Amino acid sequence: MSSFSPEAPLANGYLTTTQGAGRLPDSPVPRWARIAAHAVPYTILPSGLWRLGVMLAIPGFGTVEARDHGAGLDLYLVLLFVVSEGLGLLTLGLVQPWGEWVPRWIPLLGGRRVPPLATLVPAALGTLATTGVVYYFFLHILFAGFPPGHTTTEQVVLTACYLPLLAWGPLLGSVTYAYYRRRASGQRSGQLGGAGSAVCSAGRCVGGSGLAEQSVGHGARPGE
């Protein structure tokens, strides 16, 4: 007679859902959400390269005055580049396991479930902030023009490098929404699975309370 093993709930023909027996599987990440999350760092990269071009005094990147700068501006441009790309890479957490579970190598918190709001609130605020700042920047250029001192080439280079940023906010917002839907679905599944335990084998299932049985055999119907 086959023995039941709670550590391998699908082994030996058994299907189990036991409260506290283990973590429920996370809902799958939609393919479009993965693509959108991985696209975010690439929307930020061109503007970072533009800043590096200004720092290296490459003609066409920034104005002559901007390229004739000191170490202070160099440090600012590097930090802005690193911080921007870092924020973009954090978007991957919305589609990766470490966005739902704290990695085990982190002291004290490793292995703990990440509260949904701890991710959703910063992601939503980031969506609003990036969208507001980037669109304000382009609307200001559209209605007020470029700041004085930019040549035509410098305007074209600046526009080409900053134009992808228009997609940052919408991409982040869509991935945040997908994360919310997935976590909400996982919580509902956890509530259903946590109602009790169930063990199914040989066409019969013992319910979560262990007091009732229901036939689940092939071709079985209610009342049969």
Side-chain angles (χ1 to χ4, degrees), residues 86-144:
L87 292 175
L89 291 172
L90 282 177
T91 307
L92 299 178
L94 298 172
V95 297
Q96 297 291 340
W98 52 270
E100 300 187 28
W101 297 93
V102 180
R104 293 190 177 277
W105 55 266
I106 295 181
L108 301 178
L109 299 177
R112 294 178 179 269
R113 187 76 162 174
V114 177
L117 289 179
T119 301
L120 288 171
V121 171
L125 293 177
T127 298
L128 295 175
T130 54
T131 302
V133 170
V134 172
Y135 279 74
Y136 173 81
F137 172 79
F138 276 98
L139 287 174
H140 183 271
I141 289 179
L142 180 63
F143 291 103

Side-chain angles (χ1 to χ4, degrees), residues 48 51-52 55 72-84:
R51 297 185 187 101
L52 292 181
M55 185 184 69
L73 183 58
D74 285 345
L75 179 60
Y76 167 75
L77 293 174
V78 170
L79 287 177
L80 190 58
F81 175 51
V82 172
V83 171
S84 298

